[in-house]
Each structure stands twice: as structure tokens, then as C-alpha cells.
Amino acid sequence: MRLSSLRSRLLAAVAGFTPLAAALGQQQIISFTGSDGAFQVAGGSISQPQILISSNDYWGVIRAAGDLAKDFGRVTGTNFTLSNGEAGAEPAAYEYRPITTNYTHYATSDPQFFRGPEYADPSAENTVIIAGTLGHSKIIDDLVSAGKLDASDIEGKWESFMTQIVEEPVAGCSKAVVIVGSDPRGTIFGIYDISEQIGVSPWYWWADVPVKQNKEIYVLPDGKVQGPPSVKYRGFFINDEQPGLSGWVQWNYPDTPYGVGYNADFYSNVFELLLRLRANYLWPALWGTMFEIDDPANQPLADAWEIVLGSSHTEPMMRAQNEFGTFYIDKGLGPWAYNLNNKTIDEYFVYGAQRAKPYARNSLWTMGMRGTGDTAIEGLGVEFIVEMLETLVEHQRAIIEDVLDIKATEAPQLWCLYKEVMSYILQGLTIPEDITLLWADDNWGNVRRVPIDNETTRSGGAGVYYHFDYVGDTRNYKWINTIQLEKTAEQMQLAYEHGADRIWIVNVGDLKPLEIPLTHFLDMAYDIKQWDVDSVGNWTLAWATREFGPEHAGAITEIMIRFGMFAARRKFELVEPWVYSVVNYNEGDAILGQWQGLVDDAQAIYDQLDEAHQPAFFEMVLHPILGGQIVHQVHIGAAKNAVWANQHRNSANDMISQVLSSFNADGNLTATWDSLLDGKWKRMLDQTHFGYDGYWQQPMRNVLPAMAYVQTTVSATAGNVGIAVEGLNASIPGDDKYHANSGNNLVLPPLDPYGPVTRWFDVFSRGTMNCDWWAETDTPWVKLSQYKGTVGPDNGTDSRVFVSIDWENAPQVVNNTMANINFSTGCGTEGFANWYGKPIVQLPINLRSIPSNFTEGFVESDKHVAIEGPHYQRVYTPEGVAADSDISYHTLKNYGRTLGGVTLWPQTAPPQTTESAPALEYDLYLFTNISKANVTLYLSPTQNYLSDNTPLEFAVSLFPAGAEQAAPEVVQFVGESVGAGMPPGWARAVGDSIWGLAPEHSTTTTWNVPQEGAYTLRVWGLAPSVIIQKIVLDLGGVRTSYLGPPENFLIGRDERGVYRQTSFADGPGVLGGMN
């Protein structure tokens, strides 16, 4: 297993986090052993304990109390009973009137009812829990009036609750645990807090987390007060739900009149999950459904459960997107164009308000309007659109006032500033003060805007619409989890610190594959002080402990931290054969090695888990890891096939077989998923994920990438044996487009005392004969890992030979030399054809040293210096800036693509200049003098979150150590967003997970390096969220790769010969490192 030091720290922390894990960071009130003052609620003298509620409480509270009664049964084997204090009581009823089937004119039919849980006759002596809502529960209000309960800490607060032991709460009951909420959801959260702490995970049904069994359950004496959540409205958007979720729904629920079965039975499971996750807000499924129409019970059921119902950015006024097309356009009632059809559209909005009126207490209204089917309004000009939208919203608010008979300011509303709508703000769009500004990310987890200036004081506040799933440019990502929690934490805390605390809503696609990032997102929204940007590791540890127990929690945490980085480097759908280099920096093999190590570790945990825990572990941990490994095996294998076929290797065909085997393993993995738990989740993972060919939309079937097959019956013209080297696609002997015609030599990347410890060349078969081969060097202190071998179709494989230097016996002088490696074969001219010169591999050797007074810093090798951002030597403070300034730098651990990131701090710091901000300082020793040395920063794909009027910037200065600082070059690296468009270069930035890799990115500055010597590199992030992941100084030697060269040798940290430096995974501190 990898990262033993991280794992040991996590394991040591498990014991301390076990109480927190009971309710993921919330105060522990449950124990399974007795203690002074603790009250036993299960396993004592009472054979069937009872929960007491009031008949006048909210139906949703009574229903949740029924869940708690069943949860105790799941844990102890004996259900608690539920009573409203009345003998022979009928179950609580929620009355509603279903809408009729005329969906253009509002009308309802006869009343129908939702029935609550069954009541038992009251038994005061068996009552151990009392639950109720302040001001809406006679029992609770009587306790307050009698002075037995002081609820002042929660009174009038949003979704707050308290839990405490009360003596003689009702006649005949000596003691009971009282759960009181400030409002109905406060009570419900208090109820589910108990459920979670006794051992029922919120994911017991959706992810098959087994319930922890205990007979003895105690409530601790200290009591608990849980104040308002950090974010008022917290929830998720079911979207992009075809084929996965919709296929599963179709498999499990009867179709509705207008589509697959997104009915009340389905949504009851969704509502329960929301509430158990301490969330309150839902945007229902959108694509092929109509929430309020598909099942007329859906909307009233949400209200009954106390779910705040909303609708997405493209569905204003509580009407589903598909309603207008189905019941208006198809019936000849005009287009979805307010400038042409405003009377009909206003009537459409009136119907939505009428339908929602009975449930207005739990409604959050989406305002505004976009084009048809999640598109922009087109063909009208921005000024006209802005004026039209202001009129439209004025009409919408008038409709709310008229239909609901309230002031518009009393109905919570939002305007989602998604895609093109955000740009209307800059064009002068005026939004009423009380409407929440719901800012959006860029669909790839990068917040586009936070509240600024007077937006921060609006009565409606601000929120964020975020994405864990997306359909659209630059490409869909909707198969399985590819979310790095550390990035979510940084971006959402950034938004929160700037005042976006009214609404957090996240697109979760099919819901099922995104259990972990969704839980983390909602836990942050509930208590961001507990789960801030630096608490991701602790959160993951608490999550793993809750779901799988403390024994394996540390190991699972370390596994999931690695997975988050590996998966988020590039969404699985965007991995292609060209992405990772298979010739430079051993990148492709290092990626495969990391995934193999992760699979090994995850499989080992799975094998050790008891059978009950294995399904949940497979669903949330092992399956996405196996799936991620297969994706990389297929595409990196296809890349090797392409290179090897160009080199005419026989093994190109073997690689086809390997890739095909991996591809088939992907299909088998889906089949395993479909058979899990007797097919419970069959079709949930039908989403295609292979076969994207430059088009953003999903392929209709999984398809392998293109590969080339080498003819096996005829040998290569240049002979049966070929040679290729690290860093090149070329091969010898013979001709190809990668080196000079008839050239017989290839040059390896150089070796020097401070660079990689080895280079490699391959000897391979490209014919029909088995051939022995020999290699010899003309320099005695140049060593090969293998001097002879056999390649051929029958009894030999390709040989990878590593070249190294015996530095102790190398000349102790400073110079550059070239060593030659010569080859011969045992099959004469059949090995190397005689019309080409004998092949030679050349190795440049840089015999060099650094002065003794350079005691700390990075040393140039192979004409470059690569540095992980967090590995700076010091922070430089400009003259005139106080040493105790609040502005500093903060390291984001386990973040980004390889190791971490560094950003200006705190997140509320205003934009800075090079005169006001500290700088990160890196010490370098350079050997190459060059007039154009390029310093490229790999920066997280942040957006201009303070608006395009305040663009993000960084600055760089490179100068000889001890000399006067060179004038910093200040760079604006994020361009403007125009309309629905993103900044120039954005598509590559989000695809690559950094600004800085694509030629069109502006993260490179150019400097003069006049002579060998020590240099100082200063880097300024001139605003928070300018996150520096890696720095690459190119002195003419950087080769193409996805992650950049391995980090260079650091004097004072690294030991020669120990730090291998052959791939990025060798780097000290690299997550999932192979060192």
C-alpha cells in the first residue's frame, strides 16, 4: 500500500474521530455503553419503547418520527412504537387535491390523503423519546410553559433543534429524551440526528450501507443545541438523467402517462435522502419528465415531507421545462418567446402559481426566462433582452402577489445567473432587491462570480449553482464520480466567504454515482465552520468511519484522497490516447502504476470487509476505482499501440490484445454492477464513456479508440530487430518521419548528477525471426541494466534497458560528453539490414557540480526546472508591507493534479499588487545561459470571480540571487466572458484541470538568463484562488507531457541516487507517489 506516512496519521486520528463520525462532525449524544447521567432508551427494562408526538404537529414531523421508530428496529431488532397520546388514533393524514388533466387551466379533483405511520396506544411508562415543533406541538409547548424545557436558544431560528433529557415530561413518564425543533425541518433534523448516531447511515438505502447493530443504546446527559445551518437552502438537482437514472427508474417503476416512472414512490426515496443529509431543497429531474404532471402526488408529497420545492434555471414559476412544449406549443398555443407570445406565457406562469399555492410555504420560485430547452434567448439583441426580462419578472412578481395574495417580497425567489444570463448583469439588468442572485459555476466546478459591491447587502442574498455532472462543452462528464473534494471545498468556501450563503444547489446527474461528493457538499453547506477547506481529510475520515467502521477508516480515507486527485486530473470522458505521454518522463507508465496501486489497496480492503459492507464499498469506492483504471489502461494502451506501430513493433499487436481485454473488463464491470444485490441498481450505470471523437455529446455505444495492426507474416524492411529510446517516437535502423532519412543514431535525454537516475531504450522484435542481441557502451562508467537478450515472435519479448551512470567512477571534472551504445545481433543482416548503418544510441552526459555555498534550492537538469507550487523556500514581503500583515499564502494539501496548491489568503483579501502582496520565493541554480527562458505556471482553472472588471492576475520575477529584483511581469491570465461564452482558452483549461498547458494560455513569462549561477524566482498570486500548482522553467529542454516534468532535485532535501526523478510520481510528497 502507498503513502504509509499519510495512512499512519489517518489511522492515529480514527479513535479521535469515532464520536464525530456518528453524525459526521455533529455533537455526539448517543452512546452504546452506560455512563453517569446517561439515559438508556433501548436494551433496558422497557421491552418496547415508545416515541411520543403531538397530533397537531406537522405531518412531515410525524412521518419522520415513524422513521425513527423503524430505525431503532433496524439497529436493535425491535421497532419502537409511535403514539400521539390518544388511544385508538388513526394515522395522521395530509390532505391534498390533485390537479386535473387540463394543464392549461387550473382545476383540482376530489381530496386525497397521504397517511402517516401507524399509531400505537399511548404508554407513558414506555415513553423514552418525545419529539415536536415549537409552537406546533401541544406536548412541547406544555413543557415550555411548565418550565421543564427552555427552548430560547432555538426559538425563531431557521432549522434549529435541541435534544435533552427531561425529568417527568408527561404524567406517568419518569424521564424521556426530548427533541424540539424551531420549525418542522429543525425537528426532522433532530430526529434524523438520532437515527444517524445510533447507526443508520443516510445512505442505508441509496448506497446499501449496512445498519450497525446494537442492543444497548444510551443518550448522553449533556444535551445538544444545533443552531441554524450555514446555508439556508441546501439541495441538489437531478439532471442529465438519461440513460442511467431514467433506465433504472424505467426498470423499477411503472411508466407515467408522459414518460418513465418518476412518481411519488420514486421521489419518496429522494425526499428521505435529502432530509437525512440535513438538506431541504430540490430541483426535480428535468430531461424526460414533468415533476408536477407525471404524478399529481409529487408536488403535494414534497410539501408533506417538508421539502422546499424549486425548479431549475430553465424552468420559471414552478413549471417543468417540458410542460410548455407538450401542452402549449404542441396544441398550437404559440412559441416559447415572450416578445411574441407574452399573454400566453403569462397565463402559463399563472397556472404554475395556482398549482403551487397550496404548497407555497415550501416553495422557492425560479424567476426570469431562458430560451427553449436550456438555451439562450436568440435573435433579439442584448439590450432588448434585458428590457424584456425586466418586464417579464415584473409580471411574474405581480402574478405571485395576485395568486398567493401576499407581497412579492414575502415569497422566496431566485434568479439563476447561468451562462448567458450572468452577462446581462454587466449589460445593466436590474433585479429586485429581494430576489436571491444564484450565481453559477462554469459547469466544471469553477465559480464564475461571487457577490461584489452592493450585491453583498441585498436582502435576497446570494447563492451558488454548482456542478458534479454536466452535459455540454467541452465534453459531457456524467458516468461516475470524478470530483476532487479539495477543489469543491476551496471553491464553495470562496463563495461562502464572499456572502453566497442563501442557496447552494448542485447538479448531481443520476444521483447514485455521486454519493461521496454530494454528502461532502451538503455537510459543508450545513456547517462550513466544521468542514472548511482544510478539513477534507478529516471529513473523509469521519465519512469512512460512519459507513465502514473505524478498523479500515484510515486506509479508506487515504484511498479516496488519492482517487479524488487521480480522477479529477482529467474527467474520464476526456481521457484519450494523446493525453499522457508514453515516451516522455515515463508519464503513461507512472499513471498506470498509480492506478494499479490504488486498485490493489482498494481490493485489499474489499476482501477484508464483512459481506454486509462489501456492496456499499463496491458501489462508492471499488467500482469507480476499477472503472478509472480501465479507462486509463485503454487509452494509454492505445497510445502505446500508436507509437509502437509507427516503430513497426510486433508488440503493437500485443497491445491491441491488452487494450481489448481491458475494454471487455469494462463491460464485465458493468455486468457485475447490474447483478449486485439481485439487480437492485441494474441500468443505473448504462452511461457510455468510451468513444468520444471530438464531439461533446455522449456516444451511443462504447467504442474503442483507433489502433493499428502490424502485419506479422513479413519482417520490417530494416530488419527483425528495432531500437527506440526515451523521449522520441523514432526507431532505428530505418527511416521514419521522426528522424533523418537513413539515420542510424538516436539520442537519449541527458543524465547529470542532479537529474533522473536512469534513462531507457527498448530493443524489440519487428519481424518473423527470433534474434539474440547485444549492447555495449564505449564508456566504462555508463552502465546498462541488461547487456543482452532475445526478441522475436516465439521466445522473446521487448526488452527495456535502463541506462545509468556510476558517478563515483565518473571523471570528477566539469564538462559535457557523449557516450555511445552500440548493438549487434545473432541473426546477422536479418537482425539489422545491411543497407542501413549499424544502430547507435547516444547518451549526453553533463558532468557538473554546484558551488558549496548553494545550500538550498532547485537545480537545473535537462535544461529545465520543474517545481511543485507548495515547495517554495520562503515568503517574500515587499518593503513597506507590515511583517504581520493579514495577507499571506495558504497551502491546499492533496489538491490539484499531483501534490497541492498555494493561494493568497484569506479568501476575502482584495486584489493586490506586487508592491502590496507577499510573493512565493524559490531558489534556483541554473547552468544554461539563454535569452528566452520561459517560466510557465500551472494554475487552477479559476474564473474571474470578482467580475471581468477585476480580472485575476499573477506576477513573476526571475533574477540573479542577491541582485536587485527584476521588474515583475504582471499577467492577466483569465480573459473576459462574452454572452454564454467562456474566456478564451477555457475549454482546454477545464479539460486539462489547469491554465498553462495549452499554447493559447497566458501563464508564461520570458526572462533572460545571462550566465550560470544562483537565481531567485518570485511568484505572486495577486488574488485569492489564483492557485499555483506547479512551475516549469524551460531553458530549452522541456518535452511534451500532460503533468509536466518531474520535480527537480532540491538541495537540502534530496539525496543523489535516492530521489529517482524518473517520473512525476517519484516526487517527494506527490499523492500516490511511487518513491
Side-chain angles (χ1 to χ4, degrees), residues 74 212 235 280 311 341 356 381 497 510 528 544 580 614 650 750 785 825 880 889 1072:
R74 292 181 174 111
K212 296 174 176 60
N280 58 13
S311 52
N341 198 21
E497 292 294 335
D510 293 328
I528 199 168
Y580 294 105
Q614 285 181 334
N650 292 1
S785 62
T825 73
Y889 283 94

Short mmCIF file of all heavy atoms in Angstrom, two decimals, residues 74 212 235 280 311 341 356 381 497 510 528 544 580 614 650 750 785 825 880 889 1072:
data_model
loop_
_atom_site.label_atom_id
_atom_site.label_comp_id
_atom_site.label_asym_id
_atom_site.label_seq_id
_atom_site.Cartn_x
_atom_site.Cartn_y
_atom_site.Cartn_z
N ARG A 74 -34.23 -1.32 13.12
CA ARG A 74 -33.12 -1.75 12.26
C ARG A 74 -31.86 -1.99 13.09
O ARG A 74 -31.07 -2.89 12.79
CB ARG A 74 -32.84 -0.69 11.20
CG ARG A 74 -33.95 -0.52 10.16
CD ARG A 74 -33.59 0.55 9.13
NE ARG A 74 -34.58 0.60 8.05
CZ ARG A 74 -35.43 1.60 7.85
NH1 ARG A 74 -35.40 2.66 8.66
NH2 ARG A 74 -36.30 1.57 6.87
N LYS A 212 -25.67 -0.51 11.62
CA LYS A 212 -24.84 -1.05 12.70
C LYS A 212 -25.74 -1.58 13.81
O LYS A 212 -26.64 -0.88 14.27
CB LYS A 212 -23.89 0.02 13.22
CG LYS A 212 -22.87 0.47 12.16
CD LYS A 212 -22.03 1.64 12.65
CE LYS A 212 -20.98 2.00 11.61
NZ LYS A 212 -21.57 2.40 10.31
N GLY A 235 -29.42 21.85 -1.39
CA GLY A 235 -30.03 20.72 -2.06
C GLY A 235 -29.34 20.33 -3.34
O GLY A 235 -28.21 20.74 -3.61
N ASN A 280 -32.64 20.46 2.31
CA ASN A 280 -34.05 20.85 2.34
C ASN A 280 -34.62 21.22 0.98
O ASN A 280 -35.80 21.56 0.88
CB ASN A 280 -34.25 22.03 3.30
CG ASN A 280 -33.40 23.24 2.94
OD1 ASN A 280 -32.83 23.33 1.85
ND2 ASN A 280 -33.30 24.20 3.87
N SER A 311 -37.30 24.79 -9.00
CA SER A 311 -37.19 24.35 -10.39
C SER A 311 -35.92 24.95 -10.96
O SER A 311 -35.41 25.96 -10.47
CB SER A 311 -38.41 24.77 -11.20
OG SER A 311 -38.68 26.15 -11.07
N ASN A 341 -45.29 36.12 -27.61
CA ASN A 341 -46.38 35.31 -27.04
C ASN A 341 -46.53 35.58 -25.55
O ASN A 341 -46.77 34.67 -24.76
CB ASN A 341 -46.08 33.82 -27.31
CG ASN A 341 -47.30 32.94 -27.17
OD1 ASN A 341 -48.43 33.39 -27.26
ND2 ASN A 341 -47.05 31.65 -26.95
N ALA A 356 -49.03 25.81 -7.34
CA ALA A 356 -48.10 25.80 -6.20
C ALA A 356 -48.69 26.44 -4.95
O ALA A 356 -48.14 26.27 -3.85
CB ALA A 356 -46.80 26.51 -6.57
N GLY A 381 -31.00 40.73 -29.56
CA GLY A 381 -30.07 41.75 -29.10
C GLY A 381 -30.11 41.87 -27.60
O GLY A 381 -31.19 41.78 -26.97
N GLU A 497 -17.45 32.79 1.77
CA GLU A 497 -16.77 33.90 2.42
C GLU A 497 -17.13 35.24 1.79
O GLU A 497 -17.03 36.29 2.43
CB GLU A 497 -15.25 33.69 2.37
CG GLU A 497 -14.75 32.53 3.21
CD GLU A 497 -14.94 32.76 4.71
OE1 GLU A 497 -15.01 33.93 5.12
OE2 GLU A 497 -15.04 31.77 5.46
N ASP A 510 -27.23 11.60 -12.27
CA ASP A 510 -28.03 10.41 -11.92
C ASP A 510 -28.15 10.19 -10.42
O ASP A 510 -28.80 9.23 -10.00
CB ASP A 510 -27.41 9.16 -12.55
CG ASP A 510 -27.49 9.18 -14.06
OD1 ASP A 510 -28.45 9.73 -14.60
OD2 ASP A 510 -26.57 8.63 -14.71
N ILE A 528 -20.23 24.88 7.63
CA ILE A 528 -18.97 25.15 6.94
C ILE A 528 -17.85 25.46 7.92
O ILE A 528 -16.67 25.30 7.58
CB ILE A 528 -19.15 26.29 5.92
CG1 ILE A 528 -18.00 26.25 4.89
CG2 ILE A 528 -19.26 27.63 6.60
CD1 ILE A 528 -18.22 27.11 3.68
N ALA A 544 -15.79 7.76 6.22
CA ALA A 544 -15.40 6.35 6.11
C ALA A 544 -15.69 5.60 7.41
O ALA A 544 -16.10 4.43 7.39
CB ALA A 544 -13.91 6.25 5.75
N TYR A 580 -1.69 11.45 -22.14
CA TYR A 580 -0.50 11.16 -21.34
C TYR A 580 0.61 10.66 -22.25
O TYR A 580 0.39 9.77 -23.09
CB TYR A 580 -0.81 10.12 -20.26
CG TYR A 580 -1.78 10.62 -19.22
CD1 TYR A 580 -3.11 10.20 -19.20
CD2 TYR A 580 -1.37 11.52 -18.25
CE1 TYR A 580 -3.99 10.66 -18.24
CE2 TYR A 580 -2.25 12.00 -17.29
CZ TYR A 580 -3.57 11.57 -17.29
OH TYR A 580 -4.44 12.04 -16.35
N GLN A 614 -19.60 -5.09 1.85
CA GLN A 614 -18.99 -5.13 0.52
C GLN A 614 -19.81 -4.44 -0.56
O GLN A 614 -19.24 -3.75 -1.40
CB GLN A 614 -18.67 -6.59 0.15
CG GLN A 614 -17.47 -7.14 0.89
CD GLN A 614 -17.13 -8.57 0.51
OE1 GLN A 614 -18.01 -9.33 0.08
NE2 GLN A 614 -15.88 -8.95 0.68
N ASN A 650 6.31 -5.76 -33.32
CA ASN A 650 5.33 -6.84 -33.18
C ASN A 650 4.42 -6.60 -31.98
O ASN A 650 3.23 -6.94 -31.99
CB ASN A 650 6.03 -8.19 -33.00
CG ASN A 650 6.77 -8.64 -34.25
OD1 ASN A 650 6.77 -7.95 -35.26
ND2 ASN A 650 7.38 -9.82 -34.18
N PRO A 750 19.50 13.69 -21.57
CA PRO A 750 20.78 13.65 -20.85
C PRO A 750 20.66 13.10 -19.44
O PRO A 750 19.58 13.06 -18.84
CB PRO A 750 21.22 15.11 -20.84
CG PRO A 750 19.94 15.88 -20.88
CD PRO A 750 19.02 15.07 -21.76
N SER A 785 21.25 -1.85 -17.54
CA SER A 785 20.58 -2.84 -16.70
C SER A 785 20.57 -4.21 -17.36
O SER A 785 20.36 -5.22 -16.70
CB SER A 785 19.14 -2.41 -16.41
OG SER A 785 18.39 -2.33 -17.62
N THR A 825 23.53 -8.21 -33.40
CA THR A 825 22.53 -9.27 -33.25
C THR A 825 23.14 -10.61 -33.66
O THR A 825 24.17 -10.67 -34.35
CB THR A 825 21.29 -9.02 -34.13
OG1 THR A 825 21.63 -9.25 -35.51
CG2 THR A 825 20.77 -7.61 -33.94
N GLY A 880 7.85 48.04 2.97
CA GLY A 880 6.69 48.87 3.23
C GLY A 880 5.45 48.10 3.64
O GLY A 880 4.45 48.69 4.03
N TYR A 889 0.05 33.42 2.38
CA TYR A 889 -0.25 32.32 1.46
C TYR A 889 -0.70 31.10 2.24
O TYR A 889 -0.30 30.89 3.38
CB TYR A 889 0.98 31.98 0.60
CG TYR A 889 1.20 32.97 -0.51
CD1 TYR A 889 2.07 34.04 -0.34
CD2 TYR A 889 0.53 32.84 -1.72
CE1 TYR A 889 2.25 34.97 -1.35
CE2 TYR A 889 0.71 33.75 -2.74
CZ TYR A 889 1.58 34.82 -2.55
OH TYR A 889 1.76 35.73 -3.55
N GLY A 1072 0.06 9.47 -3.97
CA GLY A 1072 0.15 8.22 -4.71
C GLY A 1072 1.51 8.02 -5.31
O GLY A 1072 1.67 7.30 -6.30
#
